[in-house]
Amino acid sequence: MTGDHQTLALVLFGVFVAVTLAITTYVSRNRQGSAEEFYAGGRLFSPMENGFAIAGDYMSAASFLGISGLIALYGYDGLLYSVGFLVAWLVVLFLVAELVRNCGRFTLADVVAARMRERPVRIAAGTSSVTVSVLYLVAQMVGAGSLVALLLGGTSEAAQAWTVIGVGALMVIYVSMGGMRATTWIQIVKAVLLMAGAIALTVLVLMRFHGDFDQLLRTAADRSGHGEQFLAPGLKYGGDWTARFDFISLGLALVLGTAGLPHILSRFYTVPTARAARRSVVWSIGLIGSFYLMTIVLGFGAAAIVGTDAVRGSNAAGNTAVPLLALDLGGGADSTGGTVLFAVVAAIAFATILAVVAGITLASSASVAHDLYASLRRKHAKQRSEVAVARVAAAGIGAVAIGLGLVARDLNVAFLVGLAFAVAASANLPVLLYSLFWRRFTTRGAVWSVYGGLLPALVLVALSPVVSGSAGSLFPGVDFQYFPLENPGLVSIPLGFLAGWFGTVISPDRADAAKHAETEVRSLTGAGAA
C-alpha cells in the first residue's frame, strides 16, 4: 500500500484509540470498586443500548473480515457461515436470554450454581469459559495481524507480531480501567461505525452492478475460476463424505455455540430486568441480521470486483477481502477515493477487533475472579478483592491470547471462531440447558457435562487437520492427525450432553427438589433476581 494509505489509516486508528481511551478514562473516574459496577455496569443500560452493545460484541473480525473472505474464496459454502451465525440467535432468544438474566448475577456459573454445590460447578464452568474466551480472542488477534500486514504493504512477521501485542495491551487497559461500562460504550460506538461502513460498501457494490444482484453473482462466478460451482454447494464442503460431515459439524457449532459464549451471556446482566434482556436480543437480531445480509453482498462483491485470485494472493485465508474491495470501489490504489475508503474500512475493522477483544477479556477475567478465585477462597474473597483479581486476570489472559495469536496467524478468522463456538456448544450449552430445564440434574452431572464436552473438543482439535498433517495446519511439518474433521462439534457436542446425562444417572446424590423449584420460579418470574 502507498504512503497515503498508511498515513490516513494510521491517523484514523489513532483517532479511534484516542476516543475509546477517553471513554475508558472518563468511566474509570466513576465508582468501579464494586463487582456489580465492574462486571455488569451497574445494570443501568437500556434494551436499545444493550442491543447495540451485543451486536458490537458479536459482529467480530470473523464477521467483517473472515466471512466475507470465505464467500470470496468459496462462494456458496462461505455463505453458510452467515446463515449459521444468524440462526443461532433464535436459540438465544427463545431458550436463554430471560432465564439467564433471572438466574445469574455475572457469569454462566451463577446459573448452574443456583441449584448445585458451588465449588466444583464454578471451577468447571469457569475453566470452560476461560478456554472458550481465549480461543475467541485468538481469532481477533489473527484478524488484527492480517489487517495491519495489508496496511503496511507486506507480510512482515515483525509487523504482525507487534500489532497483536498492541491489541492485547489495549484490551487489558480497557478492561482493567473501565470495566463493563466502558466496554459497553466502546462496543456501541463500534457497532454504529461497523454498520455505517458495511452499508456504504454494500451500496457501492450494488451501484457498480446497477442494482442487478444476478449480474453480481454471475460476475463473481466468472472471476472465481470455478464457474457455476462457485454458486452451488460443495466447493469447500462437498468433496467427499469427510467434508460433508465437517459441514454438519460446523453448522451445529455455529447454531448452538452462541448460547454458550461467556461474553454474550454476560451482556444479559447489564440490563435491569429479564424483559429488557429479551428486548435487547430483539434489537441485536435486527442489527446482526442486517449486517450478515450485507456480508453476502460484500463477499460476492470482492470475488466479482477484486477477483478470487487477488484475494487469495493478498491473504491465503481471505481475511483481507473487504479492505481490498474498498480500495477498488474508491477508485483504485492510486486514487484519493481509494485511499480514503481503504483507510476508513481498515480503521473500522481495527475498531471491531478492539471492541470485541475488550468484551471477551472482561467475560473471561470475570470467570477467573468470580468463579475460580472466589471458589478457592470463598471465606476471604470480598467484592473489592474479586475485582482486583479480575484486573490481574485480564493481563494474564491477554498474554496467553497474544502468544496463541502469533502461532495461528495464517488461519482464517471465521474458521477460528468456528472452533470457539464448537467448544462453547460442547461444554457450556449442555450444562446450561440441563440446569434450566432438567429437574433431576445433579452436581456430578453438571461437572461431567462441562468436562465431557470440553476435553473431547480440545483433544479432537489437537488431533485434527487444523493442527498437523496438511499444508494449512498450524504445524505443517509434523503429522499427528487422527481425527479427520476440522471442527469437532459433531462428536463433542453430543458427548457433552451424554456426559451430563450419564453423570446424573449414576450420581449417588439426588437433585435438591426445593432448589430446583426455587430456580424454576426465579427463572420464569424474575422473583429474587439480582
Side-chain angles (χ1 to χ4, degrees), residues 1-13 144-155 159-160 163 314 320 323-324 339 342-347 350:
M1 297 300 141
T2 65
D4 290 338
H5 291 93
Q6 295 177 21
T7 303
L8 184 56
L10 289 172
V11 167
L12 291 172
F13 288 171
S146 299
L147 185 66
V148 172
L150 175 65
L151 173 66
L152 298 178
T155 56
Q160 293 188 46
T163 300
S314 172
T320 55
L324 290 175
T339 299
F342 172 86
V344 168
V345 168
F350 199 71

Side-chain angles (χ1 to χ4, degrees), residues 492-518:
S492 60
I493 294 173
L495 283 178
F497 281 98
L498 182 61
W501 170 81
F502 187 66
T504 297
V505 169
I506 68 170
S507 174
D509 302 324
R510 301 190 64 180
D512 189 325
K515 281 190 175 181
H516 174 268
E518 180 184 343

Side-chain angles (χ1 to χ4, degrees), residues 388-436:
V389 171
R391 290 184 169 124
V392 174
I397 290 165
V400 172
I402 287 170
L404 293 176
L406 295 176
V407 173
R409 61 178 172 267
D410 294 326
L411 297 181
N412 181 277
V413 287
F415 169 74
L416 286 170
V417 166
L419 294 182
F421 273 61
V423 177
S426 304
N428 291 349
L429 184 63
V431 71
L432 180 61
L433 295 183
Y434 278 147
S435 297
L436 291 172

Side-chain angles (χ1 to χ4, degrees), residues 54-82:
I54 291 173
D57 222 350
Y58 195 69
M59 296 184 301
S60 64
S63 303
F64 193 49
L65 301 177
I67 292 177
S68 300
L70 286 172
I71 294 173
L73 297 181
Y74 301 108
Y76 181 93
D77 281 11
L79 166 67
L80 297 172
Y81 275 86
S82 292

Side-chain angles (χ1 to χ4, degrees), residues 74-99:
Y74 301 108
Y76 181 93
D77 281 11
L79 166 67
L80 297 172
Y81 275 86
S82 292
V83 176
F85 280 134
L86 179 56
V87 171
W89 279 97
L90 298 178
V91 179
V92 177
L93 177 63
F94 291 115
L95 292 180
V96 172
E98 284 193 39
L99 304 183

Side-chain angles (χ1 to χ4, degrees), residues 20-33 37-38 173-183 391:
T20 53
L21 286 175
I23 293 172
T24 302
T25 303
Y26 176 77
V27 170
S28 66
R29 296 170 58 191
N30 298 325
R31 183 170 167 262
Q32 288 291 326
E37 278 288 334
F38 188 79
I173 293 171
Y174 292 147
V175 171
S176 60
M177 287 182 60
M180 178 59 83
R181 192 169 296 185
T183 300
R391 290 184 169 124

